[in-house]
């Protein structure tokens, strides 16, 4: 399973790219708004840092397929690595079909059921993003959804759509996603940092330092 980082913060993106742990980036309207910067400029800056798929979402106010299609073309035109993120609606599916026929990659977002994932795949989505954390929030097992999608897609080899586990809230979500064989998990910076840490690693580093310095000095 590859990792994308789920943020629009360029400092977080740069740091994780330098560590070699991420292969792409996902953003959404809330994440872009949080940074308070120009949307297109931010996406371009991200594309200058990461050499991998970067999901930029159509405007949150766009509802009609024709609007999503023209915005999608604009987002795709920003950089060859751009992927157009489109909400899972009937109009969104029309936009996915058109954009994919033009060779523009799409990521269908806000997926909460296997049925939605299957429709998005059939419309031509390059990626589908099931939202685990938001399902867990309403007492529904998000990991079961990823397992279902993986099982269905595996049964139909002609489906090339990749599954991005999204709305990831903690390291165990990541581990559980990896066990399903999901292609990608898009993970917030905070969770990537949590994944790096283990108390025994900290204790081990401190013991090695003390033992070494006791004999050889600083
Ligand atoms: C996915 O692409 C979304 O940006 C994201 O994972 C949503 O996560 P949230 O439910 O924590 O907002």
């Amino acid at each position: 399973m590859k990792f994308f980082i789920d943020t629009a913060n360029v400092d977080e993106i740069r740091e994780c790219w330098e560590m070699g742990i991420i292969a792409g980036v996902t953003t959404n309207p809330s994440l872009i708004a949080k940074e308070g910067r120009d949307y297109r400029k931010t996406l371009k800056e991200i594309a200058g840092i990461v050499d991998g798929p970067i999901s930029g979402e159509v405007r949150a106010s766009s509802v009609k397929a024709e609007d999503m299609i023209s915005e999608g073309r604009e987002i795709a035109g920003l950089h060859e690595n751009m992927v157009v993120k489109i909400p899972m609606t009937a109009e969104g599916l029309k936009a996915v079909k058109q954009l994919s026929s033009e060779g523009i990659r799409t990521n269908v977002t806000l997926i909460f059921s296997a049925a939605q994932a299957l429709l998005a795949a059939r419309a031509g989505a390059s990626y589908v993003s099931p939202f685990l954390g938001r399902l867990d929030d309403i007492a529904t097992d998000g990991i079961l959804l990823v397992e279902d999608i993986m099982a269905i897609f595996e049964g139909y080899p002609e489906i090339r759509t990749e599954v991005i586990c999204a709305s990831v809230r903690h390291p165990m979500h990541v581990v559980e996603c990896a066990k399903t064989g999901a292609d990608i998990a898009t993970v917030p910076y905070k969770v990537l940092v949590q994944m790096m840490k283990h108390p025994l690693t900290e204790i081990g580093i401190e013991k090695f330092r003390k033992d070494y310095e006791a004999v050889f000095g600083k």
Side-chain angles (χ1 to χ4, degrees):
M1 186 174 74
K2 288 182 202 159
F3 294 123
F4 289 178
I5 187 167
D6 194 30
T7 185
N9 182 293
V10 289
D11 295 330
E12 293 176 354
I13 293 169
R14 191 173 288 108
E15 193 185 342
C16 291
W17 179 252
E18 283 171 3
M19 280 188 274
I21 57 177
I22 56 164
V25 180
T26 54
T27 62
N28 67 38
S30 307
L31 292 171
I32 293 271
K34 193 172 148 202
E35 297 306 312
R37 300 178 57 211
D38 179 78
Y39 181 46
R40 304 249 177 314
K41 270 193 200 154
T42 306
L43 289 177
K44 274 198 142 182
E45 192 175 344
I46 294 171
I49 301 169
V50 171
D51 184 17
I54 296 154
S55 288
E57 192 155 341
V58 294
R59 274 191 196 90
S61 50
S62 297
V63 177
K64 295 211 156 159
E66 62 205 54
D67 295 332
M68 294 189 221
I69 292 165
S70 58
E71 268 181 67
R73 287 176 184 142
E74 207 189 309
I75 292 169
L78 292 174
H79 192 277
E80 60 182 3
N81 284 339
M82 291 308 303
V83 174
V84 182
K85 211 171 177 192
I86 294 195
M88 175 59 218
T89 61
E91 290 294 302
L93 292 179
K94 290 182 203 169
V96 168
K97 177 179 188 267
Q98 179 56 35
L99 292 170
S100 94
S101 77
E102 295 174 21
I104 294 174
R105 288 180 295 168
T106 56
N107 172 1
V108 177
T109 187
L110 293 165
I111 295 278
F112 292 98
S113 76
Q116 289 179 321
L118 193 48
L119 288 175
R122 289 306 183 196
S126 317
Y127 304 95
V128 287
S129 290
F131 275 41
L132 314 186
R134 294 193 197 184
L135 278 173
D136 288 359
D137 289 345
I138 57 159
T140 304
D141 192 338
I143 295 293
L144 285 184
L145 170 60
V146 181
E147 282 175 4
D148 280 353
I149 296 172
M150 292 311 296
I152 293 167
F153 283 12
E154 271 161 29
Y156 298 93
E158 76 276 14
I159 294 179
R160 301 252 187 264
T161 308
E162 292 189 73
V163 176
I164 304 180
C165 301
S167 189
V168 166
R169 299 278 168 78
H170 49 74
M172 283 315 292
H173 263 161
V174 178
V175 173
E176 293 302 321
C177 287
K179 285 190 202 165
T180 70
D183 304 279
I184 298 147
T186 189
V187 184
Y189 177 79
K190 183 183 143 211
V191 178
L192 288 167
V193 171
Q194 287 173 330
M195 288 167 65
M196 287 173 216
K197 296 192 188 276
H198 194 288
L200 291 178
T201 306
E202 312 289 322
I203 291 167
I205 287 171
E206 188 53 15
K207 182 172 175 0
F208 284 156
R209 188 187 63 77
K210 277 191 182 150
D211 291 347
Y212 181 89
E213 287 180 5
V215 175
F216 301 107
K218 289 203 177 188

